[in-house]
Amino acid sequence: MVKPFAFSELLARVRSLLRRTPARRGKLRIDDLEIDTRHQRAERGGVPLNLTPKEFLLLTHLAHSAGEVVSRAEIAEHVWDIGFKTDTNVVDVVVRRLRAKVDDPFKTKLVHTIRGMGYVLKAP
Amino acid sequence: MFSKRPEPRSIASQLILLFTLAATLLLACGLGVFYWIVVRHAFAEDNAVLADKVDALQTSFEQLGGLDAVAAEINTAGSRQRAPFLVRVIDPTGATIGQTSGMETLLPANIFPPTASRDVAVPTEHRVAEKLFALTTGRALAGGQQFTIQVAQDRSSDEQVERRFGILALVVLSGSILGSILIAIPATRRGLRPLEEMKRSLERIGPTHLNERVAAANWPRELQPLAIAFDEMLKRLDDSFTRLSQFSADLAHELRTPIANMLGEAQVALSRDRSSAEYRETIESTIGECERLSGIVDNLLFVARADAASEPVARKRFDARAAVEKIAAFYQTIAEDHHVAISCSGQGQISADPALFERAVGNLVDNALRFTPHNGSIEIALADSPSDFKVAISDNGSGIAPEHLPRVFDRFYRAESSRGSDGAGLGLALVKSIVDLHGGTARIHSEPGRGTVVTLTFPKRT
């Protein structure tokens, strides 16, 4: 990390590093959402979700830190390996698309926006 | 004219010193040669007179036969002449048969140069009783006998003349040195006066009127280039001064909006009791504005540090194609939304800082996306050549008017057409800083309505 850094970012990074290693393979479950990381498949309430590879990566990342806020910068770094700060809304656009597939057809919403901070995936 | 630091080098005193030294050297040479010629000539003349004298004595001695013929010479030896003579005649047995009175004690016979023939001996000099004599010897045949004639010439007065002449030469020399100094000082002052005038005209220039110029005045030919160089420097200073004040104004403007937003929302939130959801909203909005501010400050800091950086960046060799494809993939989503196609072409290994390289390319693609209309296209082209590595990001967007092109890489500079966009106007400044750090160049070419090409050149180290 470059020197002037926010303490919260350091914490988030340490957490994500801790998360990254275990439980990489196998199934993740949040509410009725099920992610099969081994076969790169996700389904909700038994309905398979048709996700692009990036959307799947994003969903997996959010699921790994379920219940915790993930910043846009962290998503950009984790999903696209983009290490620099950008002014774009790429992350927001992709999250919107993910929502369209994961949340919109269902009653309970799992992906939440925390204004000014990022996104969180959690069961209601 | 000069500040009071310890003994600065003075052009005036150097000129005076050199001028005086040259004058002294020339005068000393001239006077020396003159002195030598005069003195030599005087002595040569004396020698000739002496030789004539001996010859005359020999002749009269031989023709008239005997001492009586030269007795008059011996006794009245030229007391009236400039260099009086002393004469001695010695018979073959070595006995002195006649000599000028007083000669015995002053100049004994044995100090005269010997001679074997009738020829006159080469004169030798002899100093006695503060007088200088030239001594010579001749032989004369009379009555079948060899007589020796010794003649001494008193040269004391010549020596005196020589000494006086030497003193005179020294006086003239020192007078001339003094004179040359007296001429050199005002001459040098006068010669350097334009410098003083230039200084006075430069003193008038201050930060408030940097638009003044000095070259207009009629300076001497030697100072004209200096005046022109000075004017060029003033122009550069004027430019950067203008940019700096523009920069401060832009910075203030850029920071004012988020701060005003935060202040306003905070004041509204505090104006009466609110629910926690409302407070939450205010805080969230504040975070958003703070992120915007912090982004501006981060980018500004990066550009400022890059400006001041003295160390080269940490270079690494990596696959440029893979790096740009990664960027393209990142912006793909937005490009799809805008129906803009991003394509990559060319390949090669580049030696650069990977993070900075990606940031520069990312900023350019981001920019291109902002100004490319629907159904447009953006191309990232790589070109590897032996001397450098070029990355060209081109779009067929709205383009930039020519009058904005020279300044698009400036901090906070935004062409009118982009005023509406949400960037802080630091993107291209950041790109330029990154390329500068790699010792490269960033060039922009744009045609309004047809598109823009930004070419980054990363030179290869040899």
Short mmCIF file of all heavy atoms in Angstrom, two decimals, chain A residues 2-4 54-55 71-72 75-77 79-91 93-94 96-97 113-118, chain B residues 280-281 284-285 287-288 291 294-295 298-299 301 305 326-327 329-331 333-334 336-337 355 358-359 362-363 366 370 422-424:
data_model
loop_
_atom_site.label_atom_id
_atom_site.label_comp_id
_atom_site.label_asym_id
_atom_site.label_seq_id
_atom_site.Cartn_x
_atom_site.Cartn_y
_atom_site.Cartn_z
N VAL A 2 0.42 2.24 -0.68
CA VAL A 2 1.16 3.50 -0.75
C VAL A 2 0.84 4.32 0.49
O VAL A 2 -0.24 4.17 1.07
CB VAL A 2 0.80 4.27 -2.03
CG1 VAL A 2 1.86 5.31 -2.30
CG2 VAL A 2 0.66 3.33 -3.20
N LYS A 3 1.79 5.15 0.90
CA LYS A 3 1.77 5.67 2.26
C LYS A 3 0.50 6.38 2.75
O LYS A 3 -0.05 5.94 3.76
CB LYS A 3 3.00 6.53 2.54
CG LYS A 3 3.37 6.41 4.01
CD LYS A 3 4.62 7.17 4.35
CE LYS A 3 4.43 8.64 4.17
NZ LYS A 3 5.61 9.40 4.52
N PRO A 4 0.03 7.44 2.11
CA PRO A 4 -1.16 8.00 2.78
C PRO A 4 -2.34 7.06 2.58
O PRO A 4 -2.95 7.05 1.52
CB PRO A 4 -1.38 9.35 2.06
CG PRO A 4 -0.58 9.29 0.83
CD PRO A 4 0.30 8.09 0.84
N LYS A 54 -16.98 -12.19 -15.14
CA LYS A 54 -16.68 -11.09 -14.23
C LYS A 54 -17.77 -10.95 -13.17
O LYS A 54 -17.49 -10.70 -12.00
CB LYS A 54 -16.57 -9.77 -15.02
CG LYS A 54 -15.36 -9.70 -15.92
CD LYS A 54 -14.07 -9.57 -15.15
CE LYS A 54 -12.87 -9.61 -16.08
NZ LYS A 54 -11.62 -9.92 -15.39
N GLU A 55 -19.02 -11.12 -13.60
CA GLU A 55 -20.13 -11.03 -12.65
C GLU A 55 -20.02 -12.14 -11.60
O GLU A 55 -20.25 -11.92 -10.41
CB GLU A 55 -21.48 -11.11 -13.38
CG GLU A 55 -21.83 -9.83 -14.11
CD GLU A 55 -22.91 -10.01 -15.18
OE1 GLU A 55 -23.39 -11.16 -15.36
OE2 GLU A 55 -23.25 -9.03 -15.83
N SER A 71 -15.39 -2.09 -0.67
CA SER A 71 -15.27 -0.80 -1.38
C SER A 71 -15.14 -1.01 -2.88
O SER A 71 -14.75 -2.09 -3.34
CB SER A 71 -14.07 -0.01 -0.86
OG SER A 71 -12.89 -0.62 -1.31
N ARG A 72 -15.44 0.06 -3.63
CA ARG A 72 -15.34 -0.03 -5.11
C ARG A 72 -13.90 -0.34 -5.53
O ARG A 72 -13.67 -1.13 -6.44
CB ARG A 72 -15.80 1.29 -5.72
CG ARG A 72 -17.30 1.48 -5.63
CD ARG A 72 -17.70 2.85 -6.17
NE ARG A 72 -19.14 3.02 -6.12
CZ ARG A 72 -19.81 3.36 -5.01
NH1 ARG A 72 -19.16 3.57 -3.88
NH2 ARG A 72 -21.12 3.47 -5.04
N ILE A 75 -13.16 -3.93 -5.10
CA ILE A 75 -13.80 -4.72 -6.15
C ILE A 75 -13.00 -4.61 -7.45
O ILE A 75 -12.70 -5.61 -8.11
CB ILE A 75 -15.26 -4.27 -6.36
CG1 ILE A 75 -16.09 -4.63 -5.12
CG2 ILE A 75 -15.85 -4.92 -7.61
CD1 ILE A 75 -17.50 -4.06 -5.14
N ALA A 76 -12.61 -3.37 -7.79
CA ALA A 76 -11.85 -3.17 -9.03
C ALA A 76 -10.55 -3.96 -8.98
O ALA A 76 -10.14 -4.57 -9.97
CB ALA A 76 -11.54 -1.69 -9.22
N GLU A 77 -9.93 -3.98 -7.83
CA GLU A 77 -8.65 -4.69 -7.71
C GLU A 77 -8.88 -6.20 -7.77
O GLU A 77 -8.14 -6.93 -8.43
CB GLU A 77 -7.96 -4.30 -6.41
CG GLU A 77 -6.53 -4.81 -6.39
CD GLU A 77 -5.76 -4.43 -5.14
OE1 GLU A 77 -6.26 -3.60 -4.37
OE2 GLU A 77 -4.68 -5.00 -4.96
N VAL A 79 -11.59 -8.00 -8.90
CA VAL A 79 -12.24 -8.58 -10.08
C VAL A 79 -11.47 -8.30 -11.36
O VAL A 79 -11.37 -9.15 -12.24
CB VAL A 79 -13.70 -8.06 -10.18
CG1 VAL A 79 -14.38 -8.61 -11.41
CG2 VAL A 79 -14.47 -8.43 -8.92
N TRP A 80 -10.89 -7.09 -11.48
CA TRP A 80 -10.22 -6.74 -12.74
C TRP A 80 -8.71 -6.57 -12.57
O TRP A 80 -8.03 -6.24 -13.54
CB TRP A 80 -10.81 -5.45 -13.30
CG TRP A 80 -12.17 -5.62 -13.88
CD1 TRP A 80 -12.48 -6.06 -15.15
CD2 TRP A 80 -13.42 -5.36 -13.23
NE1 TRP A 80 -13.83 -6.09 -15.31
CE2 TRP A 80 -14.44 -5.66 -14.16
CE3 TRP A 80 -13.78 -4.91 -11.97
CZ2 TRP A 80 -15.79 -5.53 -13.86
CZ3 TRP A 80 -15.11 -4.77 -11.69
CH2 TRP A 80 -16.12 -5.08 -12.60
N ASP A 81 -8.22 -6.70 -11.34
CA ASP A 81 -6.80 -6.52 -11.09
C ASP A 81 -6.37 -5.08 -11.45
O ASP A 81 -5.30 -4.85 -12.01
CB ASP A 81 -5.98 -7.55 -11.89
CG ASP A 81 -4.52 -7.55 -11.45
OD1 ASP A 81 -4.25 -7.14 -10.32
OD2 ASP A 81 -3.67 -7.97 -12.26
N ILE A 82 -7.26 -4.13 -11.17
CA ILE A 82 -6.95 -2.72 -11.44
C ILE A 82 -6.47 -2.10 -10.13
O ILE A 82 -7.23 -1.98 -9.18
CB ILE A 82 -8.19 -1.97 -11.96
CG1 ILE A 82 -8.62 -2.51 -13.32
CG2 ILE A 82 -7.93 -0.47 -12.03
CD1 ILE A 82 -7.61 -2.31 -14.43
N GLY A 83 -5.18 -1.75 -10.08
CA GLY A 83 -4.58 -1.31 -8.82
C GLY A 83 -4.66 0.18 -8.57
O GLY A 83 -4.22 0.65 -7.54
N PHE A 84 -5.17 0.94 -9.53
CA PHE A 84 -5.17 2.40 -9.34
C PHE A 84 -6.58 2.92 -9.16
O PHE A 84 -7.55 2.29 -9.54
CB PHE A 84 -4.50 3.08 -10.52
CG PHE A 84 -5.09 2.73 -11.85
CD1 PHE A 84 -6.13 3.48 -12.38
CD2 PHE A 84 -4.62 1.63 -12.57
CE1 PHE A 84 -6.66 3.16 -13.60
CE2 PHE A 84 -5.17 1.31 -13.80
CZ PHE A 84 -6.19 2.07 -14.31
N LYS A 85 -6.65 4.11 -8.56
CA LYS A 85 -7.95 4.74 -8.32
C LYS A 85 -8.51 5.28 -9.63
O LYS A 85 -7.78 5.86 -10.43
CB LYS A 85 -7.74 5.90 -7.36
CG LYS A 85 -8.57 5.80 -6.12
CD LYS A 85 -8.27 6.97 -5.23
CE LYS A 85 -9.34 7.15 -4.20
NZ LYS A 85 -9.02 8.27 -3.32
N THR A 86 -9.77 5.07 -9.86
CA THR A 86 -10.36 5.59 -11.09
C THR A 86 -11.57 6.44 -10.76
O THR A 86 -12.15 6.33 -9.69
CB THR A 86 -10.81 4.44 -12.01
OG1 THR A 86 -11.73 3.64 -11.27
CG2 THR A 86 -9.66 3.60 -12.46
N ASP A 87 -11.91 7.29 -11.73
CA ASP A 87 -13.10 8.14 -11.55
C ASP A 87 -14.33 7.49 -12.17
O ASP A 87 -15.41 8.04 -12.11
CB ASP A 87 -12.87 9.50 -12.23
CG ASP A 87 -11.86 10.33 -11.47
OD1 ASP A 87 -11.64 10.02 -10.28
OD2 ASP A 87 -11.27 11.25 -12.07
N THR A 88 -14.13 6.31 -12.78
CA THR A 88 -15.25 5.73 -13.54
C THR A 88 -16.26 5.06 -12.62
O THR A 88 -16.00 4.78 -11.45
CB THR A 88 -14.77 4.65 -14.50
OG1 THR A 88 -14.04 3.69 -13.76
CG2 THR A 88 -13.95 5.22 -15.60
N ASN A 89 -17.41 4.76 -13.21
CA ASN A 89 -18.43 4.05 -12.47
C ASN A 89 -18.57 2.61 -12.97
O ASN A 89 -19.65 2.04 -12.93
CB ASN A 89 -19.76 4.79 -12.55
CG ASN A 89 -20.16 5.05 -13.99
OD1 ASN A 89 -19.33 4.95 -14.89
ND2 ASN A 89 -21.42 5.36 -14.21
N VAL A 90 -17.45 2.06 -13.46
CA VAL A 90 -17.48 0.69 -13.99
C VAL A 90 -18.06 -0.27 -12.96
O VAL A 90 -18.95 -1.07 -13.26
CB VAL A 90 -16.05 0.24 -14.39
CG1 VAL A 90 -16.03 -1.24 -14.68
CG2 VAL A 90 -15.55 1.04 -15.57
N VAL A 91 -17.56 -0.14 -11.72
CA VAL A 91 -17.99 -1.08 -10.68
C VAL A 91 -19.51 -0.97 -10.48
O VAL A 91 -20.21 -1.98 -10.42
CB VAL A 91 -17.22 -0.82 -9.37
CG1 VAL A 91 -17.79 -1.66 -8.24
CG2 VAL A 91 -15.74 -1.10 -9.58
N VAL A 93 -21.72 0.01 -12.57
CA VAL A 93 -22.45 -0.55 -13.71
C VAL A 93 -22.52 -2.07 -13.60
O VAL A 93 -23.58 -2.68 -13.79
CB VAL A 93 -21.78 -0.13 -15.04
CG1 VAL A 93 -22.42 -0.87 -16.20
CG2 VAL A 93 -21.90 1.37 -15.23
N VAL A 94 -21.40 -2.68 -13.26
CA VAL A 94 -21.37 -4.14 -13.17
C VAL A 94 -22.24 -4.63 -12.01
O VAL A 94 -22.95 -5.63 -12.13
CB VAL A 94 -19.92 -4.66 -13.07
CG1 VAL A 94 -19.90 -6.16 -12.85
CG2 VAL A 94 -19.15 -4.30 -14.31
N ARG A 96 -24.83 -3.13 -10.94
CA ARG A 96 -26.22 -2.98 -11.39
C ARG A 96 -26.65 -4.18 -12.23
O ARG A 96 -27.73 -4.72 -12.08
CB ARG A 96 -26.35 -1.68 -12.20
CG ARG A 96 -27.76 -1.13 -12.24
CD ARG A 96 -27.90 -0.05 -13.30
NE ARG A 96 -26.89 0.99 -13.18
CZ ARG A 96 -26.28 1.55 -14.23
NH1 ARG A 96 -26.58 1.17 -15.45
NH2 ARG A 96 -25.38 2.48 -14.05
N ARG A 97 -25.75 -4.61 -13.10
CA ARG A 97 -26.06 -5.76 -13.95
C ARG A 97 -26.21 -7.04 -13.13
O ARG A 97 -27.08 -7.88 -13.41
CB ARG A 97 -24.94 -5.97 -14.97
CG ARG A 97 -24.95 -4.91 -16.02
CD ARG A 97 -23.90 -5.23 -17.02
NE ARG A 97 -23.94 -4.29 -18.12
CZ ARG A 97 -23.19 -4.41 -19.21
NH1 ARG A 97 -22.37 -5.44 -19.31
NH2 ARG A 97 -23.29 -3.53 -20.16
N THR A 113 -26.40 -1.30 -1.37
CA THR A 113 -25.43 -0.21 -1.58
C THR A 113 -25.26 0.53 -0.26
O THR A 113 -26.24 0.87 0.39
CB THR A 113 -25.96 0.78 -2.63
OG1 THR A 113 -26.34 0.04 -3.79
CG2 THR A 113 -24.90 1.80 -2.99
N ILE A 114 -24.01 0.73 0.13
CA ILE A 114 -23.76 1.59 1.29
C ILE A 114 -23.16 2.86 0.72
O ILE A 114 -22.01 2.85 0.26
CB ILE A 114 -22.77 0.92 2.28
CG1 ILE A 114 -23.21 -0.49 2.63
CG2 ILE A 114 -22.61 1.79 3.52
CD1 ILE A 114 -24.53 -0.59 3.36
N ARG A 115 -23.92 3.91 0.70
CA ARG A 115 -23.47 5.14 0.03
C ARG A 115 -22.15 5.62 0.62
O ARG A 115 -21.97 5.64 1.83
CB ARG A 115 -24.54 6.22 0.16
CG ARG A 115 -25.43 6.26 -1.07
CD ARG A 115 -26.36 7.44 -1.00
NE ARG A 115 -25.65 8.70 -1.19
CZ ARG A 115 -26.22 9.88 -0.97
NH1 ARG A 115 -27.46 9.94 -0.52
NH2 ARG A 115 -25.56 10.99 -1.17
N GLY A 116 -21.29 6.00 -0.28
CA GLY A 116 -20.02 6.55 0.16
C GLY A 116 -19.00 5.48 0.56
O GLY A 116 -17.86 5.79 0.85
N MET A 117 -19.41 4.21 0.64
CA MET A 117 -18.47 3.18 1.07
C MET A 117 -18.34 2.04 0.08
O MET A 117 -17.24 1.64 -0.25
CB MET A 117 -18.88 2.65 2.44
CG MET A 117 -18.70 3.71 3.52
SD MET A 117 -19.05 3.07 5.13
CE MET A 117 -17.59 2.12 5.44
N GLY A 118 -19.46 1.49 -0.35
CA GLY A 118 -19.35 0.38 -1.27
C GLY A 118 -20.59 -0.48 -1.26
O GLY A 118 -21.71 0.03 -1.10
N ARG B 280 -27.85 9.64 8.70
CA ARG B 280 -27.05 8.68 7.94
C ARG B 280 -26.84 9.17 6.52
O ARG B 280 -25.73 9.12 5.97
CB ARG B 280 -27.77 7.33 7.94
CG ARG B 280 -26.97 6.25 7.29
CD ARG B 280 -27.69 4.91 7.33
NE ARG B 280 -26.80 3.89 6.81
CZ ARG B 280 -25.92 3.27 7.56
NH1 ARG B 280 -25.83 3.53 8.85
NH2 ARG B 280 -25.11 2.39 7.02
N GLU B 281 -27.91 9.67 5.94
CA GLU B 281 -27.84 10.15 4.56
C GLU B 281 -26.86 11.32 4.45
O GLU B 281 -26.06 11.39 3.51
CB GLU B 281 -29.23 10.58 4.11
CG GLU B 281 -29.35 10.62 2.60
CD GLU B 281 -30.79 10.86 2.17
OE1 GLU B 281 -31.68 10.10 2.60
OE2 GLU B 281 -31.00 11.84 1.45
N GLU B 284 -23.37 9.95 4.69
CA GLU B 284 -23.00 9.27 3.44
C GLU B 284 -22.65 10.27 2.36
O GLU B 284 -21.66 10.11 1.63
CB GLU B 284 -24.16 8.38 2.98
CG GLU B 284 -24.27 7.09 3.76
CD GLU B 284 -25.54 6.31 3.42
OE1 GLU B 284 -26.37 6.81 2.63
OE2 GLU B 284 -25.69 5.21 3.96
N SER B 285 -23.45 11.32 2.28
CA SER B 285 -23.19 12.34 1.27
C SER B 285 -21.85 13.03 1.55
O SER B 285 -21.08 13.32 0.63
CB SER B 285 -24.33 13.35 1.29
OG SER B 285 -23.92 14.54 0.69
N ILE B 287 -19.31 11.68 3.02
CA ILE B 287 -18.24 10.76 2.63
C ILE B 287 -17.98 10.86 1.13
O ILE B 287 -16.83 10.92 0.67
CB ILE B 287 -18.59 9.31 3.03
CG1 ILE B 287 -18.51 9.17 4.55
CG2 ILE B 287 -17.64 8.32 2.36
CD1 ILE B 287 -18.92 7.81 5.06
N GLY B 288 -19.09 10.94 0.37
CA GLY B 288 -18.95 11.06 -1.08
C GLY B 288 -18.14 12.29 -1.46
O GLY B 288 -17.21 12.21 -2.27
N GLU B 291 -14.54 11.90 -0.50
CA GLU B 291 -13.80 11.04 -1.43
C GLU B 291 -13.40 11.82 -2.67
O GLU B 291 -12.29 11.67 -3.19
CB GLU B 291 -14.66 9.84 -1.82
CG GLU B 291 -14.53 8.72 -0.80
CD GLU B 291 -15.24 7.46 -1.25
OE1 GLU B 291 -16.14 7.56 -2.10
OE2 GLU B 291 -14.90 6.39 -0.72
N SER B 294 -10.58 14.05 -1.62
CA SER B 294 -9.36 13.29 -1.39
C SER B 294 -8.78 12.80 -2.71
O SER B 294 -7.56 12.73 -2.88
CB SER B 294 -9.66 12.17 -0.40
OG SER B 294 -9.19 10.95 -0.86
N GLY B 295 -9.69 12.48 -3.66
CA GLY B 295 -9.21 12.09 -4.98
C GLY B 295 -8.44 13.22 -5.65
O GLY B 295 -7.36 13.03 -6.20
N ASP B 298 -5.11 13.65 -3.83
CA ASP B 298 -4.19 12.55 -4.17
C ASP B 298 -3.56 12.77 -5.54
O ASP B 298 -2.35 12.65 -5.70
CB ASP B 298 -4.93 11.21 -4.17
CG ASP B 298 -5.13 10.69 -2.76
OD1 ASP B 298 -4.58 11.30 -1.82
OD2 ASP B 298 -5.84 9.68 -2.60
N ASN B 299 -4.41 13.08 -6.50
CA ASN B 299 -3.90 13.28 -7.86
C ASN B 299 -2.96 14.47 -7.94
O ASN B 299 -1.92 14.41 -8.59
CB ASN B 299 -5.06 13.48 -8.84
CG ASN B 299 -5.78 12.17 -9.11
OD1 ASN B 299 -5.27 11.10 -8.78
ND2 ASN B 299 -6.96 12.26 -9.68
N LEU B 301 -1.17 15.68 -5.52
CA LEU B 301 0.07 15.29 -4.85
C LEU B 301 0.92 14.44 -5.78
O LEU B 301 2.13 14.62 -5.86
CB LEU B 301 -0.24 14.49 -3.59
CG LEU B 301 -0.28 15.27 -2.29
CD1 LEU B 301 -0.63 14.33 -1.16
CD2 LEU B 301 1.08 15.91 -2.04
N ARG B 305 4.54 15.52 -6.90
CA ARG B 305 5.70 14.68 -6.57
C ARG B 305 6.43 14.29 -7.84
O ARG B 305 7.65 14.24 -7.87
CB ARG B 305 5.24 13.42 -5.84
CG ARG B 305 4.88 13.72 -4.41
CD ARG B 305 4.93 12.43 -3.58
NE ARG B 305 4.39 12.70 -2.26
CZ ARG B 305 3.38 12.03 -1.73
NH1 ARG B 305 2.82 11.05 -2.40
NH2 ARG B 305 2.95 12.34 -0.55
N LYS B 326 -6.12 -5.88 -20.10
CA LYS B 326 -6.72 -5.85 -18.76
C LYS B 326 -7.52 -4.56 -18.57
O LYS B 326 -8.67 -4.56 -18.10
CB LYS B 326 -5.60 -5.94 -17.72
CG LYS B 326 -6.08 -6.22 -16.33
CD LYS B 326 -4.91 -6.55 -15.44
CE LYS B 326 -4.29 -5.28 -14.89
NZ LYS B 326 -3.15 -5.55 -14.01
N ILE B 327 -6.91 -3.44 -18.99
CA ILE B 327 -7.59 -2.14 -18.90
C ILE B 327 -8.85 -2.15 -19.76
O ILE B 327 -9.93 -1.71 -19.33
CB ILE B 327 -6.66 -1.00 -19.38
CG1 ILE B 327 -5.31 -1.06 -18.70
CG2 ILE B 327 -7.33 0.35 -19.23
CD1 ILE B 327 -5.24 -0.48 -17.35
N ALA B 329 -10.60 -4.61 -20.68
CA ALA B 329 -11.63 -5.46 -20.08
C ALA B 329 -12.36 -4.71 -18.97
O ALA B 329 -13.58 -4.84 -18.81
CB ALA B 329 -10.99 -6.73 -19.52
N PHE B 330 -11.60 -3.91 -18.22
CA PHE B 330 -12.20 -3.17 -17.11
C PHE B 330 -13.23 -2.18 -17.63
O PHE B 330 -14.33 -2.06 -17.08
CB PHE B 330 -11.10 -2.45 -16.33
CG PHE B 330 -11.60 -1.64 -15.17
CD1 PHE B 330 -12.23 -2.27 -14.10
CD2 PHE B 330 -11.45 -0.27 -15.13
CE1 PHE B 330 -12.68 -1.53 -13.02
CE2 PHE B 330 -11.91 0.47 -14.05
CZ PHE B 330 -12.53 -0.17 -13.00
N TYR B 331 -12.88 -1.48 -18.72
CA TYR B 331 -13.79 -0.44 -19.21
C TYR B 331 -14.85 -1.02 -20.17
O TYR B 331 -15.72 -0.29 -20.64
CB TYR B 331 -13.00 0.67 -19.90
CG TYR B 331 -12.27 1.54 -18.91
CD1 TYR B 331 -10.92 1.34 -18.63
CD2 TYR B 331 -12.95 2.54 -18.22
CE1 TYR B 331 -10.26 2.13 -17.71
CE2 TYR B 331 -12.30 3.33 -17.29
CZ TYR B 331 -10.96 3.12 -17.04
OH TYR B 331 -10.32 3.89 -16.12
N THR B 333 -17.41 -2.87 -19.77
CA THR B 333 -18.80 -2.77 -19.33
C THR B 333 -19.40 -1.42 -19.71
O THR B 333 -20.48 -1.34 -20.29
CB THR B 333 -18.86 -2.92 -17.80
OG1 THR B 333 -17.82 -3.80 -17.41
CG2 THR B 333 -20.19 -3.46 -17.38
N ILE B 334 -18.65 -0.36 -19.39
CA ILE B 334 -19.15 0.98 -19.69
C ILE B 334 -19.21 1.19 -21.19
O ILE B 334 -20.16 1.77 -21.73
CB ILE B 334 -18.23 2.04 -19.05
CG1 ILE B 334 -18.33 1.91 -17.54
CG2 ILE B 334 -18.58 3.43 -19.52
CD1 ILE B 334 -18.06 3.16 -16.79
N GLU B 336 -19.74 -0.99 -23.42
CA GLU B 336 -20.93 -1.68 -23.93
C GLU B 336 -22.17 -0.82 -23.71
O GLU B 336 -23.01 -0.68 -24.59
CB GLU B 336 -21.10 -3.03 -23.22
CG GLU B 336 -20.23 -4.12 -23.80
CD GLU B 336 -20.20 -5.35 -22.90
OE1 GLU B 336 -21.08 -5.46 -22.03
OE2 GLU B 336 -19.28 -6.16 -23.07
N ASP B 337 -22.25 -0.24 -22.52
CA ASP B 337 -23.39 0.64 -22.22
C ASP B 337 -23.50 1.77 -23.24
O ASP B 337 -24.58 2.18 -23.61
CB ASP B 337 -23.22 1.25 -20.83
CG ASP B 337 -23.87 0.38 -19.77
OD1 ASP B 337 -24.16 -0.79 -20.10
OD2 ASP B 337 -24.08 0.86 -18.64
N ALA B 355 2.26 -0.38 -12.63
CA ALA B 355 1.10 0.29 -12.04
C ALA B 355 0.89 1.65 -12.70
O ALA B 355 -0.24 2.02 -13.04
CB ALA B 355 1.30 0.46 -10.54
N GLU B 358 -0.38 1.28 -16.35
CA GLU B 358 -1.81 0.96 -16.41
C GLU B 358 -2.66 2.18 -16.05
O GLU B 358 -3.71 2.42 -16.65
CB GLU B 358 -2.13 -0.20 -15.44
CG GLU B 358 -1.62 -1.53 -15.96
CD GLU B 358 -1.70 -2.63 -14.92
OE1 GLU B 358 -2.42 -2.44 -13.92
OE2 GLU B 358 -1.05 -3.66 -15.11
N ARG B 359 -2.18 2.95 -15.09
CA ARG B 359 -2.93 4.12 -14.68
C ARG B 359 -3.03 5.12 -15.83
O ARG B 359 -4.09 5.71 -16.08
CB ARG B 359 -2.21 4.77 -13.50
CG ARG B 359 -3.06 5.76 -12.78
CD ARG B 359 -2.36 6.18 -11.51
NE ARG B 359 -3.18 7.11 -10.77
CZ ARG B 359 -2.81 7.64 -9.61
NH1 ARG B 359 -1.66 7.29 -9.08
NH2 ARG B 359 -3.59 8.48 -9.00
N GLY B 362 -5.28 3.68 -18.48
CA GLY B 362 -6.64 3.70 -17.94
C GLY B 362 -7.26 5.09 -18.00
O GLY B 362 -8.40 5.26 -18.44
N ASN B 363 -6.47 6.10 -17.60
CA ASN B 363 -6.96 7.48 -17.64
C ASN B 363 -7.34 7.90 -19.05
O ASN B 363 -8.34 8.58 -19.27
CB ASN B 363 -5.88 8.43 -17.12
CG ASN B 363 -6.05 8.69 -15.64
OD1 ASN B 363 -7.16 8.78 -15.15
ND2 ASN B 363 -4.94 8.78 -14.94
N ASP B 366 -10.50 6.13 -20.17
CA ASP B 366 -11.58 6.78 -19.43
C ASP B 366 -11.98 8.08 -20.12
O ASP B 366 -13.16 8.34 -20.40
CB ASP B 366 -11.08 7.06 -18.00
CG ASP B 366 -12.22 7.40 -17.06
OD1 ASP B 366 -13.35 7.58 -17.53
OD2 ASP B 366 -11.97 7.48 -15.84
N ARG B 370 -15.48 9.25 -22.32
CA ARG B 370 -16.31 10.42 -22.02
C ARG B 370 -16.67 11.20 -23.28
O ARG B 370 -17.71 11.85 -23.33
CB ARG B 370 -15.56 11.37 -21.08
CG ARG B 370 -15.51 10.90 -19.66
CD ARG B 370 -14.65 11.87 -18.85
NE ARG B 370 -14.00 11.17 -17.76
CZ ARG B 370 -14.57 10.94 -16.58
NH1 ARG B 370 -15.79 11.37 -16.36
NH2 ARG B 370 -13.94 10.28 -15.65
N ASP B 422 -17.63 15.11 -15.13
CA ASP B 422 -17.42 15.13 -13.69
C ASP B 422 -15.95 15.06 -13.28
O ASP B 422 -15.63 15.14 -12.11
CB ASP B 422 -18.21 13.98 -13.04
CG ASP B 422 -17.91 12.65 -13.70
OD1 ASP B 422 -17.26 12.66 -14.76
OD2 ASP B 422 -18.31 11.61 -13.16
N GLY B 423 -15.03 14.93 -14.26
CA GLY B 423 -13.61 14.83 -13.88
C GLY B 423 -13.13 16.17 -13.34
O GLY B 423 -13.71 17.21 -13.59
N ALA B 424 -12.05 16.12 -12.58
CA ALA B 424 -11.51 17.35 -12.00
C ALA B 424 -10.53 18.02 -12.95
O ALA B 424 -9.95 19.03 -12.64
CB ALA B 424 -10.82 17.04 -10.68
#
